[in-house]
């Protein structure tokens, strides 16, 4: 809502503060001023001048040579405007004036005649669109005075962003009322009394309301004999300052009253209404209407329309129709001033994608008491500006009389909510300034009648807010809550948050960059997650958006990995092919029953060089064991021993991964923790990526059930271990995990000797000629440890040999010499 | 020389061995690897089968009278050789150290072996730090679904269908009517039918938390939210953190105090907070919360006084006389304040929707945009960079 200060002043008895101070005070009372601009800025030098003589230019048909008096001197100006005439008062820019748009007016010769300045139109002055010619300032304009003084130009306009609960602030009077309340001064509301110019000899119009719930009141006022034309400059200026383009005097008046009182009006050409009848009814299926914006609209059975005896002539509360529009030929006008139910207006406006000044106000709740006053005000302005005679008293059909709301405020409650004691008298005074009427009052409470323009104020808490904002939020002290009982938290949220923090540590230690992605993916990306064409996996079945912004963001991602792959694609365009990324975020899935789940995941991606390019590194690329190392580190960071987890390849239920290097991660009890591996070449193709991209995802929920963020100290052996190496040759089908398991499993020889195998570290894997086809050699560094003594070589020898026998027996292993 | 050794011959042999050894030791110092040569000298003379040891072993053939003198001489010889070896070793080591220390220095300018530190995303780090501040005030982290039902995202928050307040949030909807995953603590309310949407704010977590647990409640909920909007100042997904404190006798003054404490902990001790009346359907009274500008400290003036000096090159270099140029602060557009939060007292209608008695319980709620706070902190001026995840962007946030 744009508020023009000269207009606003009209309704206040006291001077306004400086615009910036006014803006601040309004903002801190809840009407946020988003900006202050100047309407009609940059018009210094332009003066009101009178055309004293106007003769045709001998050299040019369309030009006139005018003698113009600017209050001091006379000058000759060549003018091409079609409407220039003798006696007219117009804006003059003498040479040297710089006009809006940075146009410099200079003395120049036009077809042999010297022109000392320029006569101007509203468009040239940057005020409003009007190409009909010079701006006619009217006979009363004072010759010689500065244009901005004559027309209230170069004055501030406040841009107010009224929240949806403040329809009352969508008008100049409404804002003035607010200012009066804030500054404790009084409002001078405009008054209009109807003056019946002629008594109708017969009923001049008929109003029928078929839908009294949707239209509780309809006021119609007829004015006859109007002359349609341009509005006077002061009215055009006010509309333009408030952001509405002047159209013609009658339409301008309806807009003027809208901006003044906040009530939307509509003007019909009465002669174009069949049988001079207004019917407020629902649209019939199949009915169409061409609205004023020249769009033909198919109406819906629940759209409320204003119809004449034949067909719809307006969409109620939203926009008028072209068929009954006020035009140059109009002489009889019917002014509509009604109250339409907000929800219906909103539905209809949304259905037709129409957002008008009118629907904006009705949706938020117009003042149900104002229709008569608004119609009267409009009629008297039309009479003044467009001439004509007011016909009879307004027709006022009022099937649902308005019942004002009553609300009781307990004075103590204000303090309980705000933590700020405000005297009862002050609370009452504030509410009265805002238009509330005191019905009953005692020491503890007051019963108030809510003003009709604030129908949202239905509860005590609403009144407390009113008191708070006018009293000022800055007077509320800053305290801390007195009670701080232990509160019921939400375990899962906190646990995930804490675990996420640990996983970030692990990822950072592995040199990964954290990313944060949109939760969307494209249909192509979804398809690439399917096992083979035609088959569907859970991840290849995404939740689709009904109104996505683009095809690339049409679905909710089913893995976090897809986002990381897209990040890699982006970075490769900038020569960043060595990447280690991770993200903690959700995937979005649904099961056979359609039940949605949003598992939170830790996802990582590695590709390119293992170590950054450097003179100290050899440029080796990452492989499966790098991503596995990250997964193991992540598990360890949250207190899950990776050695207690199993990494196993299972069927082909990870179709986006390469079948030969991918696996599931399962916890100690076989519960699924996640998966990792190299991406499938098909997926790489979809994302335009090279081969050898390694990814992993872990389920936060599963991790958090197994995690131990608070470990228990277990003691440190006080004696040194004995270290022995052991290299065995086994079939290459034997998983290394099996060998390690056998090495670390309890051994009776060891138990007898009070010795344990603390750790078996695999330090070499060899395949090749020396061990033979189908075999590989695994070399371990084994630590023997006792808790009560320093072991000797011979003590461990026996156990070492027992281990070797076990490997030979279980796996057919041979010692490598 | 065959035959039994005599004391004289033995003494002579010892003397000769000593002289030879000492000479060899002397020569060894000139060798390339003196330590190795010295060791071989030690073995040759003092080893188990060394010359001096052999002489000592053959002493058994001497008469008892002759033995002490020869023994003494042998010991003296051994001591002399040993100490000469020790001295030579010291000398050699000294020389070696000397050489090593005088060698040409390594190129210390070569870069060190890279340690990959990893990077934190600025939005995630900011979110975590905000949460940590509230944790210190006793808040617990709560979470909820991002795919929500209309009931939780709107209805229960006092935003009925067809209310103009819905215009403030343009919503993404799911294509088909999936039920919302929602099992409530009392089991009385199953998943609500109706449109399934991407939550437009973190406020539904308030509703879920209150439906799940009786008061008092003190939670923060960080998370992703979605609005159907994408331009220079909007992304379709962004991050919010919601706070909720419900207890007996919680007031708006407590809200102010809590946010003031947050602001000073998070932005710095001189940070000021102010509340402006505003409107949210689920709080009343409602407020926009501003903090004093983190860049200009609330003065509204730019700190880049040096900017103007570059243009001064035209004249005779009288730069010193030029006053520092100060314009309005870009971060707060000269207002001195930054709008970072929406807040208010929980609306009684919300308490009624979750079954809390509004006459017994009161509380406040607040919501903050994490992305905006991150942009302020790191002075990121292009919103789109946040979710492009360009390595050149990410690398700026250690
Ligand atoms: Zn600033």
């Amino acid at each position: 809502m744009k508020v023009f200060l000269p207009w606003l002043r009209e309704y206040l008895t006291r001077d306004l503060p400086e615009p910036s101070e006014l803006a601040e005070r309004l903002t801190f009372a809840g009407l946020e001023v988003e900006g202050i601009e100047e309407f009609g800025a940059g018009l210094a030098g332009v003066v009101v001048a009178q055309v004293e003589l106007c003769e045709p230019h001998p050299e040019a048909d369309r030009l006139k040579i005018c003698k113009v008096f600017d209050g001091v001197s006379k000058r000759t100006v060549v003018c091409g405007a079609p409407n220039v005439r003798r006696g007219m008062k117009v804006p003059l820019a003498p040479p040297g004036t710089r006009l809006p748009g940075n146009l410099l007016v200079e003395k120049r010769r036009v077809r042999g005649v010297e022109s000392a300045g320029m006569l101007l139109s509203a468009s040239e002055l940057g005020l409003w669109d009007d190409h009909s010619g010079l701006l006619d300032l009217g006979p009363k304009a004072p010759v010689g005075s500065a244009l901005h003084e004559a027309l209230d130009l170069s004055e501030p306009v406040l841009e107010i962003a009224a929240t949806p609960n403040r329809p009352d602030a969508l008008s100049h009077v409404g804002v003035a009322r607010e200012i009066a309340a804030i500054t404790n001064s009084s409002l001078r509301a405009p008054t209009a009394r109807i003056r019946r110019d002629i008594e109708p000899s017969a009923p001049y119009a008929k109003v029928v309301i078929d839908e009294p719930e949707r239209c509780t009141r309809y006021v119609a006022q007829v004015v006859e004999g109007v002359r349609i034309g341009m509005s006077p400059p002061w009215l055009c200026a006010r509309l333009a300052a408030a952001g509405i383009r002047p159209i013609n005097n009658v339409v301008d008046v309806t807009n003027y009253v809208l901006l003044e009182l906040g009530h939307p009006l509509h003007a019909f050409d009465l002669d174009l209404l069949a049988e001079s009848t207004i019917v407020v009814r629902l649209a019939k299926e199949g009915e169409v209407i061409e609205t004023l914006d020249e769009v033909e609209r198919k109406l819906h059975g629940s759209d409320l329309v204003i119809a004449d005896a034949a067909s719809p002539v307006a969409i109620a509360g939203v926009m008028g129709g072209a068929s009954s529009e006020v035009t140059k030929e109009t002489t009889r006008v019917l002014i509509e001033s009604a109250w339409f139910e907000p929800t219906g207006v909103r539905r209809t406006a949304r259905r037709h994608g129409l957002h008008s000044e009118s629907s904006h106000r009705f949706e938020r709740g117009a003042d149900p008491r104002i229709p008569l006053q608004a119609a009267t005000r409009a009629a008297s302005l039309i009479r003044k500006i467009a001439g004509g005679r007011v016909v009879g008293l307004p027709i006022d059909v009022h099937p649902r009389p308005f019942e004002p709301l009553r609300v009781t405020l307990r004075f103590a409650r204000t303090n309980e909510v705000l933590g700020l004691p405000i005297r009862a008298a002050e609370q009452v005074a504030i509410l009265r300034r805002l238009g509330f009427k005191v019905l009953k009052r005692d020491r503890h409470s007051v019963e108030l009648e809510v003003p009709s323009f604030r129908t949202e104020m239905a509860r005590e808490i609403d009144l407390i807010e009113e008191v708070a904002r006018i009293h000022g939020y800055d007077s509320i002290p800053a305290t801390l809550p007195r009670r701080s009982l232990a509160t019921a938290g939400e375990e899962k949220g906190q646990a995930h948050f804490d675990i996420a923090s640990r996983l970030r540590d692990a990822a950072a230690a592995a040199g990964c960059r954290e990313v944060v992605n949109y939760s969307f993916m494209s249909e192509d990306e979804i398809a690439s997650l399917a096992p083979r064409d035609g088959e569907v996996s859970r991840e290849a079945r995404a939740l689709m958006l009904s109104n996505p912004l683009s095809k690339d963001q049409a679905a909710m991602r089913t893995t976090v990995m897809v986002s990381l792959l897209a990040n890699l694609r982006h970075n490769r365009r900038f020569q960043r092919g060595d990447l280690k990324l991770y993200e903690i975020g959700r995937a979005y899935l649904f099961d056979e029953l359609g039940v949605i789940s949003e598992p939170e995941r830790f996802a990582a991606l590695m590709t390119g060089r293992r170590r950054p390019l450097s003179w100290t590194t050899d440029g080796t690329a990452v492989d499966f064991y790098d991503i596995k190392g990250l997964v193991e580190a992540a598990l360890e960071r949250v207190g899950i021993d990776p050695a207690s987890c199993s990494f196993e390849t299972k069927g082909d239920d990870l179709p986006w991964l390469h079948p030969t290097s991918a696996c599931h991660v399962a916890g100690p009890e076989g519960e699924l923790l996640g998966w990792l591996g190299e991406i499938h070449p098909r997926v790489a193709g979809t994302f335009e990526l090279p081969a050898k991209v390694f990814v992993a995802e872990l389920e936060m929920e599963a991790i958090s059930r197994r995690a131990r963020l608070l470990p228990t100290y277990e003691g440190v052996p006080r004696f040194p271990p004995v270290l022995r190496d052991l290299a065995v040759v086994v079939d290459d089908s034997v998983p290394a995990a099996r060998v390690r398991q056998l090495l670390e499993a309890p051994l009776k020889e060891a138990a007898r000797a009070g010795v344990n195998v603390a750790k078996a570290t695999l330090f070499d894997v060899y395949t090749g000629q020396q061990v033979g086809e189908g075999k590989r050699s695994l070399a371990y560094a084994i630590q023997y440890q006792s808790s009560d003594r320093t072991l000797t070589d011979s003590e461990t020898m026996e156990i070492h040999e027992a281990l070797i026998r076990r490997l030979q027996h279980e796996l057919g292993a041979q010692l490598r010499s | 020389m065959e035959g039994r050794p005599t004391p004289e011959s033995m003494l002579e042999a010892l003397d000769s061995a000593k002289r030879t050894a000492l000479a060899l030791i002397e020569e060894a110092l000139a060798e390339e690897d003196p330590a190795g040569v010295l060791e071989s000298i030690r073995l040759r003379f003092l080893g188990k089968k060394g010359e001096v040891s052999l002489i000592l072993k053959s002493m058994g053939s001497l008469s008892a009278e002759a033995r002490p003198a020869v023994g003494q001489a042998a010991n003296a010889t051994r001591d002399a050789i040993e100490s000469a070896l020790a001295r030579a070793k010291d000398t050699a080591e000294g020389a070696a150290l000397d050489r090593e220390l005088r060698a040409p220095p390594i190129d210390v300018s070569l870069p060190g072996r890279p340690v990959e530190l990893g990077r934190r995303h600025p939005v995630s780090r900011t979110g975590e730090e905000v949460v940590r501040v509230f944790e210190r005030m006793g808040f617990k982290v709560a979470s909820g679904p991002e795919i929500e039902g209309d009931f939780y995202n709107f209805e229960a928050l006092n935003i009925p269908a067809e209310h103009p307040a819905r215009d403030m949030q343009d919503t993404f909807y799911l294509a088909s009517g999936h039920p919302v995953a929602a099992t409530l603590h009392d089991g009385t309310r199953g998943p609500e039918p109706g449109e399934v949407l991407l939550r437009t704010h973190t406020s539904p977590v308030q509703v879920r938390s209150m439906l799940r647990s009786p008061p008092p409640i003190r939670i923060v909920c960080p998370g992703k939210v979605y609005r159907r909007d994408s331009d220079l100042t909007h992304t379709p997904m962004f991050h919010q953190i919601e706070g909720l404190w419900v207890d007996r006798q919680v007031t708006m003054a407590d809200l102010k105090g809590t946010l003031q404490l947050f602001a000073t902990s998070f932005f710095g001790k001189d940070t000021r907070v102010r509340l402006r009346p505003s409107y949210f359907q689920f709080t009343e009274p409602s407020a926009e919360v501003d903090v004093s500008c983190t860049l200009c400290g609330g003065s509204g003036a730019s700190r880049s006084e040096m900017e103007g000096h570059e243009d001064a090159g035209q004249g005779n270099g009288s730069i010193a006389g030029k006053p520092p140029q100060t314009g309005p602060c870009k971060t707060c557009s000269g207002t001195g304040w930054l709008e970072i939060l929406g807040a208010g007292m929980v609306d009684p209608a919300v308490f009624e929707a979750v079954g809390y008695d509004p006459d017994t319980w009161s509380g406040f709620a607040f919501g903050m945009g994490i992305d905006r706070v991150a942009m302020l902190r790191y002075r990121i001026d292009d919103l789109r960079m946040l979710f492009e995840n360009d390595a050149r962007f990410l690398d700026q946030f250690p």
Side-chain angles (χ1 to χ4, degrees), chain B residues 154-392:
Chain B
F154 291 125
E155 291 284 339
L157 290 164
N158 197 27
I159 312 174
E162 304 304 337
H163 192 281
R166 289 204 177 188
D167 285 349
M168 296 157 88
Q169 304 178 359
D170 212 345
T171 310
F172 281 112
Y173 290 93
L174 284 198
S176 53
H178 293 283
V180 198
T183 317
L184 306 180
H185 72 300
D186 56 4
T188 53
R189 283 171 114 159
E192 292 286 321
E195 288 179 289
V196 181
L197 47 84
L198 303 189
R199 68 180 178 195
T200 56
H201 44 191
T202 39
S203 308
V205 186
Q206 280 186 34
V207 177
R208 288 179 176 277
S209 299
M210 287 191 281
L211 282 170
R212 190 168 34 227
S213 345
I217 277 195
R218 205 183 312 160
I219 50 165
V220 280
C221 349
K224 291 180 174 175
V225 300
Y226 303 83
R227 298 204 190 155
R228 202 176 170 284
D229 213 346
S230 184
D231 57 33
L232 283 177
T233 52
H234 298 89
T235 51
M237 181 206 82
F238 55 101
H239 297 80
Q240 275 190 346
I241 183 164
E242 188 87 4
L244 175 70
W245 186 317
V246 179
D247 206 329
R248 291 174 205 273
Q249 297 170 28
V250 177
T251 68
M252 194 146 173
D254 296 333
L255 166 65
K256 205 172 183 179
T258 302
L259 294 178
Q260 175 72 60
L261 187 56
F262 163 75
T264 47
S265 313
F266 189 80
F267 293 109
K269 67 176 166 51
D270 296 326
T271 311
R272 284 159 295 134
V273 162
R274 71 175 189 189
L275 270 54
R276 279 181 289 121
S278 188
Y279 169 74
F280 307 105
Q281 281 286 105
F282 42 98
T283 53
E284 186 153 7
S286 301
E288 297 280 1
V289 183
D290 300 335
V291 295
S292 52
C293 177
T294 51
L295 199 67
C296 63
S299 72
S302 165
R303 281 191 176 167
S304 50
E305 295 94 339
M306 304 310 287
E307 273 173 6
H309 289 179
E310 282 165 26
D311 320 329
Q314 188 193 28
N316 305 323
S318 61
I319 292 170
K322 197 168 173 177
Q325 300 225 335
T326 50
C329 167
K330 280 183 193 140
T331 304
C332 61
S333 318
T335 61
W337 295 93
L338 301 169
E339 185 184 323
I340 59 155
L341 271 164
M345 303 306 292
V346 178
D347 194 292
V350 175
F351 281 153
E352 275 156 24
V354 299
Y356 284 13
D357 176 7
D359 279 333
T360 310
W361 302 101
S362 60
F364 59 74
F366 56 85
M368 175 165 52
I370 295 173
D371 312 58
R372 173 161 161 72
V373 172
M375 289 176 77
L376 286 170
R377 288 199 114 188
Y378 301 108
R379 301 191 202 168
I380 300 166
D381 59 3
D382 185 353
L383 177 65
R384 288 165 306 177
M385 288 311 295
L386 291 184
F387 307 119
E388 210 167 62
N389 296 304
D390 192 302
R392 296 162 299 174

Side-chain angles (χ1 to χ4, degrees), chain A residues 533-545:
Chain A
D533 286 342
E535 286 183 50
V536 174
S537 65
R538 193 173 67 143
E539 283 74 11
R541 216 175 37 182
L543 292 161
M544 306 298 295
L545 295 176

